[in-house]
Amino acid sequence: MAAEHEQEDGVLFNEGNLTCIAQNWSSIPDDVIQRYGDSTKRLDMSFNVLSDLSGLEKFPVLEELVVDNNDLSDDVRFPRMQSLHTVMMNKNHISNIDGFLENVGQNLPALSFLSLLGNLACPNELSSSEKDEDDYRRYRLYVLYKLPNLRFLDSRPCSQKEKAEAARSGQFMRVVRMEETATDQGRSRTRSTDVSASGEEYTPLPQTLANAGDHKGTFGVCRYVYYGRHSEGNRFIRNRDL
């Protein structure tokens, strides 16, 4: 059992709040679990290199978890935690929103505050310059459809109007991400799932190049001439402008 106020090697415990920022932890140390686990209500492990949350089940009265700026990815799993109502996981490596929401929905029944800003699973300007407000709105509706008890998502509260819309249409807001692979020129393209009978990837282009001079073409005279008499763009042009 920890004392009401302790500070040692950058780890600060004060009245149930355990702060362990920038300790270069890849997982929660056993000695920290043994010393503070039973007494910690708020745990801040931001700016570490956490790749999993093993040992979190040893914090039975935990209510708030802050793990911003870590290395948590799609394989992160929460244990069953009855009291945990706030999870801050900004700027990690979560990309599969379905797997994350399924695990959270099963194991965190009291969750009401969630923030995933800066993860690929949260499509806004922090995760990708190609995302806009419409992408983020669809994400919010889908998350609220899966986690209807949320009161606050990312940087905004969840209104009753937004929850009603999520209940009505949130299931259709799921974003399907196309698997991408880089081309030899460094650009990305969508990987085709069509294959030929020989097992090769399908392409509409010919498999071999034609020899020089062995090409086919045609030419002729067009029977129709466009004068632009009915063009909408010409109705404001006067003869003196020509």
Side-chain angles (χ1 to χ4, degrees), residues 49-66:
V49 289
L50 295 174
S51 58
D52 64 67
L53 295 176
S54 57
L56 199 63
E57 67 278 1
K58 302 295 181 61
F59 291 79
V61 296
L62 188 66
E63 297 177 356
E64 300 181 34
L65 175 66
V66 183

Side-chain angles (χ1 to χ4, degrees), residues 164-217:
E165 185 177 358
R168 183 177 63 255
S169 60
Q171 60 181 318
F172 306 112
M173 298 298 171
R174 178 175 177 268
V175 178
V176 179
R177 300 181 62 212
M178 301 294 291
E179 185 179 5
E180 292 187 344
T181 182
T183 61
D184 293 338
Q185 290 77 23
R187 296 172 298 180
S188 63
R189 62 178 175 83
T190 302
R191 184 177 299 169
S192 172
T193 56
D194 297 330
V195 294
S196 64
S198 62
E200 297 179 353
E201 185 176 329
Y202 170 76
T203 173
L205 300 177
Q207 299 296 320
T208 58
L209 297 176
N211 296 325
D214 185 19
H215 61 272
K216 296 180 181 180

Side-chain angles (χ1 to χ4, degrees), residues 117-133 135-136 177 180:
L117 292 171
N119 290 275
L120 288 177
C122 176
N124 70 349
E125 292 82 357
L126 284 177
S127 60
S128 173
S129 59
E130 298 178 357
K131 303 301 180 181
D132 56 23
E133 185 62 26
D135 296 313
Y136 182 67
R177 300 181 62 212
E180 292 187 344

Side-chain angles (χ1 to χ4, degrees), residues 101-151:
L101 294 179
E102 181 178 359
N103 175 251
V104 166
Q106 291 176 351
N107 294 312
L108 306 182
L111 187 65
S112 57
F113 293 78
L114 174 65
S115 186
L116 296 173
L117 292 171
N119 290 275
L120 288 177
C122 176
N124 70 349
E125 292 82 357
L126 284 177
S127 60
S128 173
S129 59
E130 298 178 357
K131 303 301 180 181
D132 56 23
E133 185 62 26
D134 288 338
D135 296 313
Y136 182 67
R137 176 178 173 274
R138 287 192 292 271
Y139 149 84
R140 283 184 66 90
L141 292 176
Y142 185 66
V143 172
L144 288 177
Y145 168 73
K146 302 291 284 187
L147 302 176
N149 293 329
L150 286 183
R151 296 169 52 196

